[in-house]
């Protein structure tokens, strides 16, 4: 099946995903765990949004985006990850960003970073096959 979105747009979205992941790591290293968790979630959000866009799909809310990704890629087996993981990242991001009485810990932040890396990697692998490029293509600066 031919992808619906221009490869340049997909690459830009994945670049943003990687910037968020880098920010998550920096926050983690500086013991800013709430912010690290938030950035890990947004790294995933941009990667799954790019993956959905490859099928011509775009949504206005996070819940719609996560639901559509589950329907189009997880339940169909196209991308072997658990929707529960994305929902967990979303929930923890909500806690980190909005709950002034709860603070996320080092273990949660580390786990979320690791899960974000796995999800982004799975999305890039799927997109590489869809666009007939190497998986490294998404990380090259000027390809």
């Amino acid at each position: 099946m031919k992808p619906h979105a221009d490869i340049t747009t997909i690459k830009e979205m994945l670049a943003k995903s990687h910037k968020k992941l880098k920010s998550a790591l920096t926050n983690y290293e500086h013991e800013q765990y709430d912010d690290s968790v938030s950035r890990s979630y947004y790294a995933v959000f941009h990667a799954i949004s790019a993956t959905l866009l490859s099928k011509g799909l775009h949504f206005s809310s996070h819940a719609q985006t996560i639901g559509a990704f589950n329907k189009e890629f997880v339940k169909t087996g196209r991308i072997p990850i658990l929707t529960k993981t994305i929902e967990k990242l979303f929930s923890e991001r909500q806690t980190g960003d909005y709950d002034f009485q709860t603070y996320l810990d080092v273990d949660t932040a580390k786990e979320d970073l690791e899960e974000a890396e796995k999800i982004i990697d799975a999305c890039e692998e799927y997109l590489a096959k869809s666009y007939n490029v190497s998986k490294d293509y998404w990380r090259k600066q000027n390809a």
Side-chain angles (χ1 to χ4, degrees):
M1 182 175 101
K2 185 178 178 189
H4 288 82
D6 178 68
I7 194 169
T8 304
T9 303
I10 299 297
K11 188 171 183 178
E12 289 169 354
M13 293 173 81
L14 289 172
K16 188 158 196 159
S17 175
H18 284 282
K19 286 179 187 176
K20 298 294 181 192
L21 190 62
K22 184 177 179 182
S23 179
L25 181 59
T26 299
N27 289 143
Y28 176 81
E29 291 169 346
H30 288 93
E31 299 178 7
Q32 298 169 343
Y33 304 124
D34 287 357
D35 292 333
S36 177
V37 166
S38 179
R39 299 301 90 188
S40 290
Y41 166 73
Y42 276 106
V44 168
F45 178 77
H46 290 297
I48 67 174
S49 294
T51 307
L52 284 163
L53 191 60
S54 75
K55 293 189 75 167
L57 301 172
H58 176 75
F59 301 91
S60 60
S61 79
H62 288 249
Q64 289 173 326
T65 301
I66 294 167
F69 184 79
N70 181 42
K71 179 183 174 193
E72 297 291 331
F73 295 100
V74 177
K75 285 186 177 180
T76 60
R78 289 184 178 120
I79 297 183
I81 60 170
L82 297 174
T83 300
K84 285 189 245 181
T85 303
I86 297 171
E87 291 169 349
K88 174 186 164 299
L89 289 168
F90 176 73
S91 175
E92 290 171 353
R93 191 274 303 187
Q94 296 281 89
T95 299
D97 284 352
Y98 301 114
D99 186 342
F100 63 90
Q101 294 179 323
T102 305
Y103 294 91
L104 299 167
D105 63 15
V106 62
D107 295 330
T108 301
K110 183 177 185 195
E111 182 179 304
D112 287 2
L113 265 168
E114 291 169 355
E115 292 297 340
E117 288 173 343
K118 289 177 193 174
I119 293 167
I120 293 164
D121 188 63
C123 289
E124 288 178 336
E125 188 171 316
Y126 171 84
L127 290 165
K129 290 176 186 172
S130 295
Y131 285 90
N132 198 28
V133 296
S134 74
K135 203 167 90 172
D136 293 335
Y137 173 82
W138 307 118
R139 298 178 192 217
K140 291 179 187 175
Q141 293 299 319
N142 297 314

